[in-house]
């Protein structure tokens, strides 16, 4: 069946790739809406990027709503060093006259979910900080019964990127992440354990840059920025973290994971944002939080799938 999804994002180069893959598979994924959240860049910039992307990718019918401008209790700290001043590296997308469908992203999320036809549910796909999702679940708890799954990019069973133990999305708003992980809704956590190893090679990026197709070339410009960013280059590839979420939705057989309890360190210490994943299968199984943590992925199949999606655009 075609899966209803809402993409909650902070575009962001890898968010842009995730959106392109989802848009290329609209027979499998019904993209109901996009909501934005401050993270990779300020809320103004990521919302502007989302509006430009839906225009550029030919999905103008998908509404974009402006979401949270800051974490629940902290200040937003954009990541210009790894994603550029606009959030999309050196890529300048065409301007668009499209305006946000709403300036109240959390309310827009609730309305969209609660207006679904009887019997239908939605999958939330957050690829940025979890601020909007946490607010949604706290302010509008009645939506929980209409959400079948949250497939998010964030966290790690081992290690971090913004710090030794904290992954950027979770570190940006750890309090929101703790709320979401304990929501009772089934969650698939696409963390650094797999996303660090899913990406494009330098050769593939160079080939995109040389391609005359406007979409392919633009994504070459975006991902080329990662080649100059140490946190995003893992050996021979530039990691495209956020795109793992939509890939899992269509091809879960390419991944291996385990359900486990996940706690988030919300302290101000060196472990802020750490996702503490309990691998002990015998430890209090009745308290497991319903989080499936992805640990392995078939990276070659994923890479091929992404390239086929980008090259399918006929602009």
């Amino acid at each position: 069946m075609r899966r209803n999804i809402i993409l909650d994002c902070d575009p962001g180069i890898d968010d842009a790739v995730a959106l392109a893959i989802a848009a290329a598979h609209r027979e499998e994924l019904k993209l109901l809406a996009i909501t934005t959240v401050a993270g990779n860049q300020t809320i103004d910039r990521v919302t502007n990027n989302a509006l430009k992307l839906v225009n550029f990718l030919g999905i103008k019918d998908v509404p974009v709503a402006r979401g949270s401008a800051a974490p629940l209790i902290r200040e937003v700290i954009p990541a210009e060093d790894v994603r550029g001043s606009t959030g999309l590296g050196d890529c300048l997308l065409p301007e668009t006259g499209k305006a946000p469908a709403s300036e109240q992203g959390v309310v827009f999320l609730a309305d969209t979910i609660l207006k679904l036809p009887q019997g239908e549910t939605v999958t939330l796909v957050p690829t940025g900080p979890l601020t909007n999702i946490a607010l949604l679940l706290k302010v509008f708890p009645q939506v929980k019964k209409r959400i079948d799954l949250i497939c998010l990019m964030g966290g790690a069973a081992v290690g971090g990127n913004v710090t030794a133990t904290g992954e950027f999305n979770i570190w940006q708003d750890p309090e929101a992440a703790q709320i979401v992980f304990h929501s009772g809704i089934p969650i698939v956590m696409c963390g650094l354990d797999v996303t660090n190893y899913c990406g494009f090679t330098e050769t593939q990026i160079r080939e995109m840059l040389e391609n005359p197709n406007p979409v392919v070339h633009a994504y070459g410009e975006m991902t080329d920025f990662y080649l100059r960013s140490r946190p995003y280059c893992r050996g021979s590839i530039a990691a495209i973290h956020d795109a793992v979420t939509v890939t899992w939705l269509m091809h879960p057989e390419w991944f291996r994971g385990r359900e486990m309890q996940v706690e988030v360190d919300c302290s101000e210490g060196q472990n802020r944002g750490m996702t503490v994943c309990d691998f002990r299968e015998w430890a209090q199984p009745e308290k497991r939080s319903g989080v499936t943590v992805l640990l392995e992925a078939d990276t070659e199949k994923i890479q091929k799938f992404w390239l086929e999606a980008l090259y399918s655009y006929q602009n």
Side-chain angles (χ1 to χ4, degrees):
M1 293 179 60
R2 194 181 185 199
R3 183 191 288 266
N4 292 323
I5 70 169
I6 296 175
L7 183 62
D8 184 71
C9 57
D10 58 341
I13 296 165
D14 45 349
D15 306 79
V17 177
L19 176 56
I21 294 168
H25 293 89
R26 298 190 76 182
E27 292 185 359
E28 295 95 343
L29 301 176
K30 184 177 181 180
L31 183 57
L32 301 179
I34 296 166
T35 50
T36 60
V37 61
N40 287 331
Q41 258 297 348
T42 64
I43 191 63
D44 288 339
R45 287 177 178 170
V46 299
T47 303
N48 191 40
N49 288 343
L51 292 167
K52 288 181 177 180
L53 283 163
V54 296
N55 179 68
F56 187 62
L57 295 171
I59 52 171
K60 299 177 185 179
D61 58 316
V62 178
V64 175
R66 175 189 167 109
S68 300
L72 294 181
I73 62 173
R74 301 169 188 260
E75 296 295 322
V76 64
I77 304 175
E80 289 190 12
D81 54 336
V82 293
R83 294 176 184 87
S85 60
T86 67
L88 297 178
D90 295 329
C91 181
L92 296 175
L93 294 177
E95 294 295 330
T96 175
K98 185 179 176 69
S102 171
E103 298 289 333
Q104 302 293 329
V106 174
V107 176
F108 182 83
L109 273 172
D111 288 344
T112 302
I113 294 169
L114 294 174
K115 288 178 181 176
L116 283 170
Q118 186 67 30
E120 288 193 23
T121 57
V122 65
T123 296
L124 300 183
V125 187
T127 58
L130 291 165
T131 315
N132 288 337
I133 309 304
L135 286 170
L136 171 72
L137 299 178
K138 282 296 186 181
V139 179
F140 301 99
Q142 65 270 34
V143 303
K144 288 186 179 181
K145 63 180 181 294
R146 307 299 301 273
I147 301 170
D148 57 11
L149 179 72
I150 298 174
C151 183
L152 64 90
M153 190 280 130
V158 180
N161 53 10
V162 70
T163 68
T165 58
E167 181 277 326
F168 178 81
N169 286 341
I170 307 300
W171 175 88
Q172 187 80 260
D173 196 344
E175 288 79 16
Q178 179 73 345
I179 290 170
V180 173
F181 281 125
H182 286 266
S183 65
I185 298 171
I187 292 173
V188 173
M189 185 178 108
C190 308
L192 300 179
D193 312 281
V194 291
T195 67
N196 270 337
Y197 306 98
C198 297
F200 297 131
T201 67
E202 182 175 357
T203 298
Q204 289 165 340
I205 291 172
R206 296 285 174 253
E207 289 173 349
M208 285 191 277
L209 280 169
E210 294 169 2
N211 195 291
N213 181 301
V215 171
V216 177
H217 182 81
Y219 276 86
E221 288 185 327
M222 293 183 209
T223 53
D224 182 59
F225 194 87
Y226 278 166
L227 295 178
R228 304 187 297 279
S229 172
R230 289 189 64 190
Y232 272 78
C233 280
R234 301 285 300 186
S236 61
I237 68 164
I240 311 295
H241 302 281
D242 293 341
V244 172
T245 54
V246 292
T247 307
W248 184 90
L249 292 178
M250 287 180 282
H251 290 286
E253 72 277 8
W254 293 346
F255 299 86
R256 186 186 70 82
R258 283 177 54 182
E259 183 182 350
M260 59 185 80
Q261 183 74 11
V262 177
E263 301 289 343
V264 181
D265 190 321
C266 297
S267 71
E268 294 294 344
Q270 64 180 355
N271 288 329
R272 164 184 165 177
M274 179 181 182
T275 44
V276 183
C277 301
D278 193 342
F279 282 81
R280 301 173 300 163
E281 293 183 355
W282 51 267
Q284 297 180 307
E286 72 281 1
K287 292 187 177 181
R288 294 193 180 278
S289 55
V291 180
T292 298
V293 178
L294 300 187
L295 300 170
E296 294 180 9
D298 190 326
T299 56
E300 289 187 5
K301 287 182 179 178
I302 292 167
Q303 186 181 77
K304 180 181 178 183
F305 178 69
W306 291 353
L307 289 168
E308 288 175 348
L310 292 179
Y311 279 89
S312 71
Y313 286 90
Q314 302 299 318
N315 291 28

